[in-house]
């Protein structure tokens, strides 16, 4: 057990957990931020995607011990006073089926669009390829990322 | 046209109302069995129970409508589309409607199963009647207030209008309406007057989903709840021998270790500790059954196909004679592996078994049956069981089986603690209830340029095609026709997987037809249309597909896909299939990249009757088609000495965005009752893809997943 300080969605938090605890379980079990999902635990599905200093990471594969002092954003903190354009686009195109993978999809998309505000279709397909959607809502995810890019420009 | 199992009922029998203590009216309805004479909905909204009613409509005195439905949502959109049907006939603006998920208290709710794409089909008439009855009650109340004849009033968009132009909002009359008799004669709207049905409505949970609000079973927590990881036998056929939990108990956060049956539960104060604790267990497993491997199954299934011990499931004419007199015979054997469901949200369930009550929460497709099994398992009365359903992170059939809920209940019963069982992905894939491995042998006799006989044999693990599947196309279209089935009982657990049996059968048959067309030197689409001409709708009560609807669907797909007129370098494959009361035809367009097929586009034509929510419907079709393509192409799952060979997504391949085609969906327009969409888009996809790959490469695909065949093909080319 050790004590860690980090910023999650703009708020400072202090947690006491084992140092090998993945960020995913810190978020879900300690901080009750359950929007970040568990899908595989080995970095293969993207359901657990959050931002570390604005960049998408797989929270299931990052132990808390490497995150002291870092700045984390989860799906619960993606919107500011209004929805993030990615969330807007997701809503407008009615993307989700079961919805379980979608937080991870949106976190990947929002980080990607920050790096590449003007993506073409291949860019989008490459960027989103690491996020599984078992319901196969891929067509709409692809369209929603493009729409979000348009909204952001 | 086929009768869509129209349900007839008397409104008096299935609707009851009460005046809510807080104002407004509560309408309870039960459209599967009659409401008991004396039952009335509660007067307090907190007391809703679904013992006597399937669902409730609350109309508040501001006119806003809340629909409480316990219908579980697994991603098929029924939580949105079913309320749309009520709101249409009730004639309220959709923006004034909200939908809430109800909990289940007992086993009386018969159709509370999300599966088989049937919710919409069974609900259609009843939901419309309910909405229309509620509207008539409000109109009657307004007319009474005005002292005029109700038939002279009209209602629309939540407002009732008198002949002289006076108006009253629904909210103004709800309290009066609650005191009135339930009207017997109400009329339903014409399709042309629909304002909500047929318009896009966004998923009712969308705001929660995009903001990451707790919705799913895995998100549920309760005070003092222990997180539980369960250690199960690693191979089918193994049992627990001895175990040492010293290292587990040393893991920080582990609270308790309990053995139950052949499993060990590790209780901890968080998920990570539970998972770590399980990994630290030292277990000796014993074997007292055969440990089966995929190669054994191959041998067994082949033996069934080659043997004489099959059950005849449908027989027309004289197949033997047709084959004896044939000019040509085509025979093929198609093979498919087991498949895990791999719902994105792994199996999980919360249970709190206490002396006065059994509280269960989680994602389950069969709440009533599961509650019953749990009552049995822990020797409690069914009335003590309170089961709440959460949104489900996918179902695909897996959540029909309550094994995970039973585990949670058993562990909570043993430890007297609130617990939540959480499957890791590895648990989820290794403790599956799989789509069984199946082989089909199909043969056809050709004479004088016609298909004269058709013989299909099914050899499957554990069980066979059920219900009316043997009567699906081409039953009725070929004079001499025979379907036979046999199975091998394995200790590997199998069950329903999205579009059970047809998910693979459709591929086998639709690939076979493509080859038949080649032999007959006919266009594959034309061959289907020609065969359908032999079917007279309604002649054979076992045959549920409609030749007319199928023909129209096929023609729409051919037209929209530019069948036969593609660009250079693009190859097409066609398949059509009827399942789950819906007719679907698909055309897959592929090109070749380094010799491998790149699936570019799928054109889908669907006849599912009236489309209630087009955006939701298209989402279902897109998902089903891509799912079908993904599993046909990549889905592979095998066993070695009872042990699953893949347990996570590093080796088990699911389709990803780069491999997905763009799906174009077109609906056949008609006025027929809606049918389901959760499943029917999937079965034709694999066949259409196989046919496109054959067109492009000449490679016949007789085995799923296609990727393994294509790799072999490539290796052969290189050698
Ligand atoms: S849960 Fe982290 S990538 Fe799958
Ligand atoms: S919407 Fe169900 S997994 Fe993506």
């Amino acid at each position: 057990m050790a004590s860690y300080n980090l910023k999650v969605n703009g708020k400072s938090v202090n947690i006491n957990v084992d140092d090998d605890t993945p960020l995913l379980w810190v978020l879900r079990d300690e901080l009750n931020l359950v929007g970040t999902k568990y899908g595989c635990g080995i970095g293969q599905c993207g359901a657990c995607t959050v931002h570390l200093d604005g960049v998408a990471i797989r929270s299931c594969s990052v132990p808390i011990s490497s995150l002291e002092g870092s700045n984390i954003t989860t799906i619960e903190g993606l919107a500011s006073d209004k929805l993030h354009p990615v969330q807007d686009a997701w809503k407008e195109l009615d993307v989700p089926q079961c919805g379980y993978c979608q937080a991870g999809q949106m976190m990947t998309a929002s980080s990607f669009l920050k790096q590449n505000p003007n993506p073409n279709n291949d860019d989008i397909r490459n960027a989103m390829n690491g996020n599984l959607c078992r319901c196969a809502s891929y067509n709409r995810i692809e369209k929603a990322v493009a729409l979000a890019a348009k909204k952001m420009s | 046209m086929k009768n869509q199992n129209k349900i007839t009922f008397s409104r008096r029998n299935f609707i009851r109302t009460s005046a809510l203590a807080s104002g407004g009216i509560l309408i309870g309805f039960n459209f599967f069995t009659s409401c008991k004479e004396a039952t009335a909905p509660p007067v307090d909204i907190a007391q809703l129970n679904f013992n006597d009613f399937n669902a409730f409509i609350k109309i508040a005195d501001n006119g806003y409508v809340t629909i409480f439905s316990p219908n579980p949502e697994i991603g098929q959109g029924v939580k949105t589309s079913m309320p749309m049907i009520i709101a249409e006939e009730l004639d309220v603006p959709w923006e004034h409607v909200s939908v809430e998920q109800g909990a289940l208290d007992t086993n009386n709710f018969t159709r509370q199963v999300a599966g088989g794409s049937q919710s919409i089909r069974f609900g259609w008439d009843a939901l419309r009647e309910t909405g229309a009855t509620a509207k008539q009650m409000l109109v009657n109340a307004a007319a009474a207030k005005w002292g005029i004849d109700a038939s002279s009033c009209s209602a629309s968009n939540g407002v009732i209008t008198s002949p002289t132009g006076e108006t009253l909002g629904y909210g103004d009359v709800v309290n009066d309406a609650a005191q009135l008799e339930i009207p017997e004669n109400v009329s339903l709207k014409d399709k042309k007057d629909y304002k909500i049905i047929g318009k896009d409505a966004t998923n009712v949970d969308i705001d929660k989903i995009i903001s990451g609000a707790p919705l799913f079973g895995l998100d549920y927590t309760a005070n003092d709840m222990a997180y539980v990881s369960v250690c199960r036998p690693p191979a089918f056929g193994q049992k627990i021998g001895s175990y040492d939990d010293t290292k587990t108990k040393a893991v920080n956060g582990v609270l308790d270790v309990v053995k139950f049956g052949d499993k060990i539960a590790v209780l901890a104060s968080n998920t990570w500790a539970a998972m770590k604790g399980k990994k630290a267990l030292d277990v000796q497993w014993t074997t007292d059954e055969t440990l089966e491997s995929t190669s054994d199954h191959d041998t067994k299934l082949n033996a069934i196909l080659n043997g004489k011990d099959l059950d005849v499931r449908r027989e027309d004419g004289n197949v033997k004679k047709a084959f004896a007199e044939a000019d040509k015979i085509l025979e093929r054997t198609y093979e498919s592996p087991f498949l895990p469901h791999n719902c994105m949200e792994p199996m999980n369930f919360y249970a709190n078994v206490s002396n006065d009550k059994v509280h269960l929460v989680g994602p389950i497709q069969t709440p009533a049956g599961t509650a019953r099994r749990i009552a049995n398992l822990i020797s409690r009365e069914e009335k003590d069981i309170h089961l709440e359903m959460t949104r489900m992170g996918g179902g695909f059939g897996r959540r029909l089986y309550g094994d995970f809920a039973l585990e949670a209940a058993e562990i909570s019963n043993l430890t007297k603690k609130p617990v939540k069982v959480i499957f890791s992905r590895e648990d989820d894939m290794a403790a599956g209830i799989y789509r069984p491995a199946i082989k089909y042998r199909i043969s056809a006799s050709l004479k004088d340029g016609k298909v004269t006989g058709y013989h299909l044999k099914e050899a499957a693990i554990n069980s066979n095609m059920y219900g009316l599947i043997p009567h699906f196309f081409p039953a009725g279209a070929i004079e001499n026709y025979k379907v036979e089935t046999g199975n091998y009982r394995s200790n590997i657990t199998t069950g329903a997987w999205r579009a059970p049996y047809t998910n693979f059968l459709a591929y086998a048959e639709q690939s076979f037809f493509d080859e038949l067309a080649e032999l007959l030197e006919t266009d594959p689409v034309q061959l289907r249309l020609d065969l359908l001409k032999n079917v007279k709708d309604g002649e054979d009560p076992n045959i549920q597909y409609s030749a007319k609807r199928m023909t129209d669907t096929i023609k729409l797909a051919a037209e929209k896909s530019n069948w036969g007129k593609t660009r250079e370098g693009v190859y097409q494959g066609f398949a059509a299939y009827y399942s789950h009361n819906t007719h679907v035809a698909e055309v897959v367009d592929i090109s070749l990249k380094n010799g491998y097929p790149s699936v570019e586009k799928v054109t889908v034509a669907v006849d599912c009757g009236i489309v209630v929510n087009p955006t939701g419907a298209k989402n279902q079709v897109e998902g089903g088609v891509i799912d079908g393509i993904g599993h046909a192409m990549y889905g592979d799952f095998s066993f070695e000495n009872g042990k699953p060979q893949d347990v996570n997504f590093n080796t088990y391949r699911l389709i990803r965005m780069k491999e997905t085609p763009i799906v174009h969906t077109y609906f056949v327009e008609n006025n027929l009752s809606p049918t389901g969409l959760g499943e029917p888009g999937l079965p034709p996809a694999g066949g259409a893809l196989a046919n496109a790959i054959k067109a492009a490469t000449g490679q016949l695909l007789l085995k799923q997943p296609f990727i393994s065949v294509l790799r072999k093909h490539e290796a052969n080319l290189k050698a």
Side-chain angles (χ1 to χ4, degrees):
Chain A
M1 279 290 240
S3 165
Y4 295 96
N5 294 295
L6 45 159
K7 229 183 201 165
V8 179
N9 298 332
K11 271 205 264 332
S12 297
V13 295
N14 173 269
I15 38 221
N16 282 292
V17 291
D18 274 355
D19 47 12
D20 62 348
T21 311
L23 173 62
L24 168 66
W25 300 113
V26 173
L27 294 170
R28 291 188 55 88
D29 294 353
E30 307 300 321
L31 301 174
N32 206 18
L33 291 169
V34 294
T36 305
K37 298 297 193 239
Y38 166 74
C40 69
I42 57 166
Q44 292 287 327
C45 75
C48 65
T49 307
V50 298
H51 297 174
L52 166 63
D53 298 321
V55 178
I57 56 158
R58 300 287 162 87
S59 66
C60 69
S61 306
V62 184
I64 191 72
S65 58
S66 66
L67 293 169
E68 175 62 27
S70 60
N71 197 347
I72 304 293
T73 309
T74 69
I75 185 69
E76 290 91 343
L78 185 62
S80 45
D81 45 341
K82 55 181 184 12
L83 290 180
H84 187 283
V86 162
Q87 291 167 308
D88 269 330
W90 247 250
K91 184 171 178 172
E92 200 172 314
L93 297 179
D94 195 23
V95 174
Q97 286 184 37
C98 82
Y100 191 80
C101 71
Q102 301 294 347
Q105 305 278 3
M106 288 183 278
M107 295 313 280
T108 301
S110 51
S111 157
F112 160 65
L113 289 174
K114 210 189 280 175
Q115 288 155 21
N116 184 351
N118 272 312
N120 63 28
N121 257 5
D122 279 348
D123 298 338
I124 294 175
R125 287 189 152 225
N126 279 326
M128 301 305 297
N129 204 53
N131 284 70
L132 287 173
C133 174
R134 177 63 184 83
C135 302
S137 64
Y138 293 117
N139 278 190
R140 291 195 184 191
I141 295 170
E142 190 175 344
K143 279 188 210 141
V145 178
L147 177 63
K150 222 195 256 156
K151 284 178 187 288
M152 287 164 83
S153 63
Chain B
M1 213 67 4
K2 273 244 105 76
N3 177 333
Q4 294 290 325
N5 290 7
K6 193 167 157 49
I7 310 150
T8 44
F9 26 47
S10 157
R11 250 151 263 114
R12 266 213 194 102
N13 287 337
F14 81 101
I15 293 182
R16 296 278 186 278
T17 63
S18 70
L20 282 168
S22 54
I25 184 172
L26 187 66
I27 302 163
F29 56 101
N30 186 339
F31 42 80
F32 299 115
T33 50
S34 299
C35 297
K36 289 177 209 115
E37 222 23 86
T39 52
V43 296
D44 176 358
I45 219 73
Q47 303 295 318
L48 290 189
N49 74 68
F50 295 88
N51 296 14
D52 299 308
F53 300 100
N54 303 135
F56 295 96
I57 306 170
K58 174 190 143 188
I59 309 173
D61 41 23
N62 62 1
Y64 277 66
V65 175
T66 312
I67 296 169
F68 300 87
S69 153
N71 224 302
E73 178 62 89
I74 55 175
Q76 300 177 330
V78 292
K79 197 174 167 187
T80 308
S81 54
M82 295 182 71
M84 286 173 78
I85 300 170
I86 296 177
E88 179 69 67
E89 290 292 347
L90 180 56
D91 218 322
V92 280
W94 181 239
E95 305 76 58
H96 293 183
V97 179
S98 61
V99 181
E100 283 185 36
Q101 172 96 49
L104 178 83
D105 272 316
T106 186
N107 61 335
N108 278 349
F109 192 65
T110 44
R111 185 70 219 163
Q112 200 171 25
V113 177
S117 298
Q118 303 292 31
S119 301
I120 273 280
R121 188 164 79 89
F122 285 110
W124 172 245
D125 288 320
L127 293 166
R128 285 185 305 153
E129 296 262 354
T130 303
T133 306
K135 172 172 150 181
Q136 191 59 49
M137 289 176 71
L138 297 165
V139 170
N140 290 353
K145 225 176 190 166
W146 286 322
I148 58 175
D149 184 5
S151 65
S152 65
C153 304
S154 64
S156 167
N157 276 325
V159 178
I160 305 145
T161 310
S162 79
T164 56
E166 280 174 289
T167 60
L168 281 168
Y170 284 3
D172 302 329
V173 295
V174 281
N175 293 329
D176 294 349
Q179 312 302 331
L180 298 179
E181 283 276 305
I182 294 161
E184 266 300 319
N185 296 313
V186 301
S187 51
L188 298 177
K189 282 185 176 178
D190 246 14
K191 187 189 172 197
K192 66 172 175 21
D193 299 322
Y194 284 165
K195 289 180 277 200
I196 296 173
I197 293 173
K199 303 274 171 351
D200 288 344
T202 307
N203 179 342
V204 292
D205 280 334
I206 189 76
D207 290 322
K208 289 185 185 152
I209 292 170
I210 61 171
S211 60
L215 266 180
F216 299 93
L218 210 70
D219 304 343
Y220 183 83
T221 48
N223 279 345
D224 298 325
M225 170 186 106
Y227 297 79
V228 181
S229 208
V230 175
C231 180
R232 304 172 186 84
F236 288 89
Q238 283 189 323
K239 294 213 159 17
I240 202 163
S242 59
Y243 71 98
D244 178 353
D245 58 13
T246 321
K247 285 195 212 123
T248 299
K249 286 189 163 149
V251 171
N252 207 353
V254 168
L255 305 168
D256 204 356
V257 179
V258 266
K259 177 177 175 284
F260 66 108
D262 276 299
K263 305 171 189 173
I264 305 164
V266 177
L267 284 70
S269 55
N270 61 70
T271 316
W272 182 242
M275 288 179 172
K276 248 174 45 176
K278 180 175 85 173
K279 278 196 195 119
L281 280 171
D282 185 6
V283 192
Q284 251 46 66
W285 302 101
T286 62
T287 304
D288 60 356
E289 288 177 39
T290 338
L291 302 181
E292 299 181 359
S293 300
T294 291
S295 53
D296 305 330
H297 295 143
D298 268 344
T299 316
K300 302 279 185 203
L301 295 182
N302 282 332
I304 292 171
L305 290 179
N306 294 332
K308 296 231 166 329
D309 215 8
L310 293 148
D311 298 324
V312 178
R313 305 291 297 276
R314 180 181 170 112
E315 191 171 11
D316 299 326
N318 187 338
V319 169
K320 209 170 167 187
K321 187 158 168 270
F323 277 77
E325 291 168 356
D327 301 335
K328 257 187 222 159
I329 286 173
L330 178 67
E331 180 182 290
R332 293 282 179 241
T333 303
Y334 299 88
E335 304 171 56
S336 70
F338 288 89
L339 287 180
H341 296 84
N342 282 330
C343 301
M344 212 63 219
E345 175 192 20
M347 297 307 111
N348 65 86
F349 228 79
Y350 169 86
N352 187 5
V353 179
S354 62
N355 285 337
D356 54 315
K357 188 166 126 166
V358 179
H359 185 205
L360 303 156
V361 184
I364 181 94
Q365 282 172 273
T366 47
T370 301
R372 211 163 22 240
R373 285 170 65 202
I374 288 176
N376 247 331
L377 176 76
I378 59 172
S379 311
R380 294 288 293 253
E381 303 234 9
E382 271 176 54
K383 66 169 175 37
D384 292 346
I385 316 263
H386 177 87
L387 192 151
E388 281 175 51
M389 278 171 292
T390 58
R391 192 177 175 90
M392 299 177 225
F396 314 108
R398 181 63 181 88
R399 287 189 229 273
L400 292 167
Y401 309 97
D403 50 317
F404 39 90
L406 269 74
E407 285 183 354
E410 194 170 358
I411 297 163
S412 178
N413 191 40
L414 280 172
T415 59
K416 293 290 174 252
K417 277 193 198 126
V419 300
K420 181 145 115 199
V421 168
I422 297 171
F423 282 44
S424 65
R425 175 57 57 195
E426 290 80 2
D427 297 339
D428 196 271
M429 235 185 266
I433 297 183
Y434 309 98
R435 192 272 303 262
I438 301 182
K439 290 181 198 276
Y440 287 109
R441 180 163 298 157
I442 312 178
S443 41
S445 58
L446 306 181
K447 191 170 174 61
D448 302 329
K450 285 212 161 55
V451 188
T452 53
Y454 188 87
H455 187 184
L456 180 135
K457 292 183 189 177
E458 176 183 84
I461 303 290
N462 291 338
S463 52
N464 291 107
M465 60 166 89
Y466 56 85
L468 293 167
I469 297 176
H471 308 279
F472 285 6
F473 184 83
I478 299 169
E479 207 182 323
N480 305 294
Y481 172 95
K482 190 172 184 180
V483 171
E484 292 179 286
T485 61
N487 64 59
Y488 165 72
R489 304 297 292 180
S490 163
N491 56 12
I492 292 167
T493 45
T494 56
W497 192 100
R498 195 176 197 175
Y501 295 93
T502 61
N503 60 43
F504 174 57
L505 174 61
Y507 140 75
E509 292 191 313
Q510 293 296 313
S511 310
F512 189 77
F513 279 115
D514 225 56
E515 273 202 86
L516 277 184
E518 228 165 85
L519 277 181
L520 293 166
E521 295 173 21
T522 323
D523 175 81
V525 171
Q526 196 53 48
L527 173 65
R528 266 73 157 203
L529 295 175
D530 289 345
L531 285 170
L532 283 166
K533 283 186 197 137
N534 302 334
V535 185
K536 264 227 188 75
D537 283 346
E539 209 172 61
D540 176 344
N542 277 327
I543 290 183
Q544 304 285 303
Y545 73 85
S546 148
K548 174 176 185 318
R549 293 178 79 170
M550 193 48 119
T551 300
D552 292 348
T553 310
I554 290 174
K555 285 183 177 162
L556 182 64
E559 176 208 323
K560 295 293 181 187
S561 65
N562 274 319
W563 172 253
K565 293 177 278 217
T566 48
R567 307 175 264 126
E568 177 80 31
V570 174
Y571 304 88
Q572 292 187 312
F574 173 83
Y577 205 69
Y578 161 91
S579 68
H580 304 274
N581 307 93
T582 297
H583 300 75
V584 183
E586 297 177 16
V587 174
V588 167
D589 286 17
I590 68 165
S591 63
L592 293 176
K593 293 214 167 96
N594 306 321
Y596 274 94
S598 159
V599 191
E600 297 193 346
K601 184 173 101 175
V602 184
T603 308
V604 190
V606 183
D607 178 353
C608 58
I610 290 172
V611 180
V612 176
N613 181 12
T615 175
K618 281 188 186 152
N619 218 354
Q620 286 306 301
V621 174
E622 286 162 15
V625 168
I626 296 176
D627 193 5
I629 297 223
H631 280 93
M633 196 71 188
Y634 308 114
D636 202 1
F637 200 73
S638 58
F639 292 87
E640 215 36 71
N641 294 320
K643 218 172 156 176
Q645 294 304 286
D646 300 283
V647 290
N648 208 326
F649 300 131
N650 51 344
T651 56
Y652 186 86
R653 187 166 175 189
L654 282 174
I655 193 165
R656 290 179 183 268
M657 188 182 278
K658 276 208 267 189
E659 295 133 1
T660 54
I662 302 296
V663 180
H664 298 267
T665 308
Y666 302 89
F667 293 104
V668 174
E669 287 253 359
N670 59 38
N671 288 328
L672 301 166
S673 304
T675 54
L677 278 174
E679 290 160 306
L682 187 145
L689 175 60
N691 295 340
I693 295 175
K694 180 162 68 66
T697 64
Q699 175 67 42
L700 207 52
L701 295 165
L702 299 174
K703 193 177 172 154
Q704 288 187 353
F706 301 158
I707 189 78
S708 64
V709 183
L710 294 170
R711 282 209 188 106
K712 244 187 232 145
H713 176 73
E714 185 186 48
N716 288 343
L717 287 182
K718 279 190 183 139

